[in-house]
Amino acid sequence: MIIKQLDVYGYGKWRQITFPTFGKTQLIYGPNEAGKSTMMAFIEAILFGFPTNKSSERRLEPKDYDGFGGRITVATDTNEIVMIERKKGKATGDVTLYFADGSRGDEADLVKLLQGMTKQMFKAIYSFDIHGLQNVQALKESDFNRYLLAAGTVGSDVLLRVDTQLQKKREDIFKPNGRKPSLNKKLNLLKDLELKYKQAKANNGAFSQLTEQAGLLERQLEQSQKKEADLSIQQEQYTDYLSKWSVFEEAEKGQQTLKKLAVTRFPADGFEQMKALVTEREQLENEAYKLELSLNHVLRQMVESNQFEGLEWDEIEPYLADWSLFQERERRLTALGTEAINEQLSRQIITDLTEANLAEVTQLVQKYERLQWQLQQKQQESQSLLAKIERQQLNCDEIEEKLQDESDQTDVTKAPLIGRGVYVSVGAIIVSVLLATVIHPLFYLMALGALILLFKSYSSYRTKPGKLVESSSTHTEWEKIWQQQCAVLDELQFVKSEHDRTNEGLLEQSEVIWQSLACYAQQAKLSLSPTETDVFLIAFNKRLNEQRHWHQKQAEQKQMTELIMAQNQWLNGLQQVTAAVKDELDWANVPATLDRLLTEQKAYHHQTEAAINARQEKEQLLNNKTRVEATLVRNEEKQAALLAEVNVPDIAAFYQKAEQKRQAETIKTRLMVLQMQVSNNERKALRQFASKTAILKALANLKEQRLTIQKERQIAQKNLLELNHQIQLLTKGEVFADIAHEYFLLKAEVANLSQEWMRYKTAQTIVNEMVERLQAERLPRVLKKASEFLSYLTEGRYYRIDFFADELLVQRQDNFQFKGEELSQGTKEQLYLSIRFAFIEVLESAISLPIIIDDSFVNFDKRRTDLIMKLLDRIKDKQQIIYFTCHAYMKDYLPAEQCLDLTTYRQNDTESEY
């Protein structure tokens, strides 16, 4: 069984939600409190019923929502889709099954679908978590056997409960060395009472004789009662024989008829084979007759001729195929004009120019003109730079003169001069800044830095108006300004040198382009002027057009010559290949001649095609005739083989044998039904009677015997009553009567209790035998399969699981054995998983239910997790696996379509306790 879809009406957190498309392997991811445990509880509740209020499990019934329950869609082992719906109703809920054919089922159908699996068994085998993994070392062999029995056969857990109940009932009745069981108490009382009874009995002389007679009568009554019971059983058997006599009689007659038919050698589908062969033979004979008629008709149609048949049409056909080309050439000659043949070309052009040359010349002219413009711009920039350099040189000379004058003046006269010098310097630096913006950004930054430095110097001078500035300080300032101006002059000269190198490069490029243009001008026989390159380009284009026109005229004359030669060649060739019928053709009217030839060609092809078709049809008819004859031969061989297999001379006898076979099969089918109604022992017993009347006579005889026995028993009972009355009279006083009565009553009770204890003992023995047989069959298989799984999960380190002295042992690769508690926690968990999966695989042939795992691998490292996931991948082909986890990395082991993320579903978070 495979779970395909969950529809939750209301359960715990979930409200009106659907979880679709469950696969054979399904991983359900969600963090803590995402609803994983609720979904697991929902699956178990729908399959096995809601937990009751008295149960230790939580019911998870929504407190703020009326809908309680849901539906699970499953696919059975026969691929039938069934929907299991359980809603609030009785204690465990009302369940309804919806089948694919539209029918419905109830709780009994669900039990049948689950093959008797209970919730406790399901949780013990198919549903497990980390807590179960951690307690595997506590598993004993006796528990293992009982657990195996409960898991081994659906419903066999009842045997365990019955065995426990029988043992309890036995111990309630009798227990060796016990005091409280009822039989132990009564045996002690009976022992004391028996002594008192024997003492009282010795006092009565005639009591023994009367008691012996009474005992004899009691034994006679018991024998009579037993004989009557036997007769009653025999009477019931004969009555049952009487009711089954008609079925037995029909079965016996059917057996006799079957022996008379005695159909032994007859294939299972022989009648259908023979019928098909006869039908096929009739169809083949009819087809052979039709083929013979068609063949005669084709042979009568194969002859005719005309006068054009002698021509070699294979040689004529290329000319006829070129007739349209001939007409096209005529139209082209008419369009060109025959007078163009004698036309002379006006002049010859020596050098061939191409479109590529024109494109290259155009590109060269554009480059040349662009370079000339750049040279003009560079020339203007050079003149501007020369002017700037001259002005900067004058500025440097003026500042240098100022420095010379400063050395001859006093400190008092220097202050005003310094002020004027600052103004002049500021003006010069401003001019330098403006020039730098035009020449280069680096010069702009240098000039701007000089200006800022000058302003700082001037500010320091202005802050002390009351003091005289020393001459040395003023001289230093003017010297800094002179150095800055000289640096600007150097930069301008450097820019001028770079500018000159650029001009030289442009001149070189211009010269190369001019040389290329001069070569093209020489090739085209044109003049070239540096100031008239556009005129040269126009003249070059014109010269190319003239050359193109000349080539066109030359090509037209060549084309006309070729067309005339082709026309003459075609006409002469056609006249040669049709020379045999030249009297029938008019070459003065070429179109009419061609129409005549085309008509005759069509007639020839039609006749040839008809002859070819006739030959092909003849060959096909002959092949079909051969095929039909061969098929007829095979048909006859198959019929003969069937007749030989059945050992009959002809088809009529075969059909008769087939009818006998059909009757025999019908009788066999009926006999199977009849044999199900009457057992082998009953048939043996019924064969003792000659007829139904014999059974009636036997029944009447049994009734008479029972009446005789009943009369004899009544007489014996009357005599026994009289003897018992005499025994009572012989007893001495009430003491002996009371003791005897109490003794026999207690003895009867002890006998009844002993019989009851023996019944429980016998039943328990039978149950134990069944348990031992089931254990002997399944325990080795489970241990072997569990050992294989453990060896795979531990990569061969532990390879065998066994029991010794009621303890679970695991054997390592070096042959050392370990108890469960001696293993590491991870190995114990691997051992538990191996045993669980072994149980599931052994059960797979009897029942297949989904395996539900709740984060059972969280203690495994990466290697162990990889191994267990590979093992699950092997198991998934046999049974569905649903794995719940709160660890996101587990999603990497499966494709995205097999992973269900609960965080993407809306939940009702008001009930956090779920």
Side-chain angles (χ1 to χ4, degrees), residues 545-673:
N545 290 333
E546 290 175 355
Q547 177 179 296
R548 192 184 300 115
H549 178 72
W550 185 84
H551 281 300
Q552 182 179 358
K553 288 296 183 182
Q554 191 180 38
E556 287 178 356
Q557 287 188 5
K558 182 179 180 182
Q559 183 180 10
M560 290 180 64
T561 303
E562 291 175 353
L563 287 172
I564 293 171
M565 291 177 63
Q567 296 293 78
N568 293 333
Q569 183 179 2
W570 180 86
L571 193 60
N572 293 332
L574 182 60
Q575 289 175 350
Q576 290 177 5
V577 296
T578 58
V581 291
K582 62 182 180 179
D583 297 336
E584 300 291 332
L585 300 175
D586 183 11
W587 290 106
N589 188 355
V590 176
T593 300
L594 262 295
D595 289 341
R596 175 71 185 278
L597 286 173
L598 288 171
T599 302
E600 294 298 334
Q601 181 195 31
K602 289 180 182 179
Y604 170 76
H605 282 311
H606 180 73
Q607 184 177 1
T608 304
E609 184 178 357
I612 292 172
N613 291 337
R615 285 193 297 272
Q616 291 177 350
E617 187 176 0
K618 176 185 175 183
E619 293 176 1
Q620 185 176 3
L621 289 171
L622 290 172
N623 291 335
N624 289 339
K625 183 178 179 182
T626 303
R627 175 183 57 79
V628 170
E629 290 174 350
T631 307
L632 278 170
V633 171
R634 288 195 298 271
N635 184 283
E636 291 176 355
E637 291 174 353
K638 290 179 180 179
Q639 287 189 20
L642 275 176
L643 294 175
E645 183 178 358
V646 181
N647 194 21
V648 292
D650 52 26
I651 295 176
F654 184 90
Y655 283 159
Q656 183 179 0
K657 204 71 173 275
E659 177 62 21
Q660 293 177 359
K661 177 68 175 178
R662 186 192 64 79
Q663 292 177 5
E665 292 296 331
T666 303
I667 292 172
K668 286 181 179 178
T669 304
R670 179 59 181 167
L671 285 175
M672 290 177 62
V673 176

Side-chain angles (χ1 to χ4, degrees), residues 729-877:
L729 294 175
L730 291 174
T731 55
K732 293 182 178 180
E734 296 180 357
V735 177
F736 176 78
D738 294 339
I739 293 174
H741 175 73
E742 186 178 358
Y743 170 72
F744 286 109
L745 182 61
L746 184 58
K747 189 177 181 181
E749 291 177 0
V750 169
N752 291 333
L753 286 174
S754 298
Q755 291 178 359
E756 185 178 1
W757 184 88
M758 185 56 67
R759 286 197 300 270
Y760 291 142
K761 174 65 176 177
T762 304
Q764 190 176 15
T765 302
I766 295 172
V767 170
N768 289 332
E769 289 177 355
M770 294 176 65
V771 169
E772 291 174 358
R773 186 171 65 254
L774 291 174
Q775 290 171 353
E777 291 175 357
R778 293 178 177 87
L779 180 58
R781 290 172 55 197
V782 172
L783 290 177
K784 180 180 179 182
K785 185 56 66 175
S787 299
E788 292 177 5
F789 288 154
L790 181 62
S791 176
Y792 173 77
L793 292 178
T794 61
E795 297 181 305
R797 290 193 300 276
Y798 298 92
Y799 69 94
R800 184 176 180 183
I801 302 172
D802 206 346
F803 281 101
F804 181 76
D806 204 30
E807 285 187 338
L808 183 65
L809 299 177
V810 178
Q811 192 160 354
R812 203 167 60 185
Q813 191 176 15
D814 55 7
N815 292 327
F816 280 98
Q817 288 186 334
F818 298 89
K819 298 179 182 179
E821 63 270 14
E822 294 174 344
L823 299 173
S824 65
Q825 187 59 44
T827 306
K828 285 192 289 187
E829 293 173 2
Q830 290 176 320
L831 173 61
Y832 177 83
L833 289 172
S834 301
I835 293 173
R836 273 297 186 91
F837 289 140
F839 276 133
I840 291 170
E841 181 151 333
V842 169
L843 287 178
E844 186 266 334
S845 60
I847 184 170
S848 177
L849 293 176
I851 302 171
I852 300 178
I853 305 174
D854 182 14
D855 253 345
S856 295
F857 315 141
V858 293
N859 292 332
F860 285 7
D861 55 22
K862 180 66 168 58
R863 180 59 182 166
R864 287 180 174 179
T865 304
D866 291 343
L867 289 172
I868 191 62
M869 294 306 292
K870 289 180 181 178
L871 180 60
L872 291 179
D873 190 60
R874 288 168 49 187
I875 297 174
K876 73 175 183 181
D877 296 332

Side-chain angles (χ1 to χ4, degrees), residues 11 45 200 287 321-322 326 453 491 540 601 732 827 882 898:
Y11 202 84
E287 185 179 358
D322 291 341
F326 177 87
L453 183 62
E491 289 294 334
F540 191 89
Q601 181 195 31
K732 293 182 178 180
T827 306
I882 303 175
Q898 296 181 10

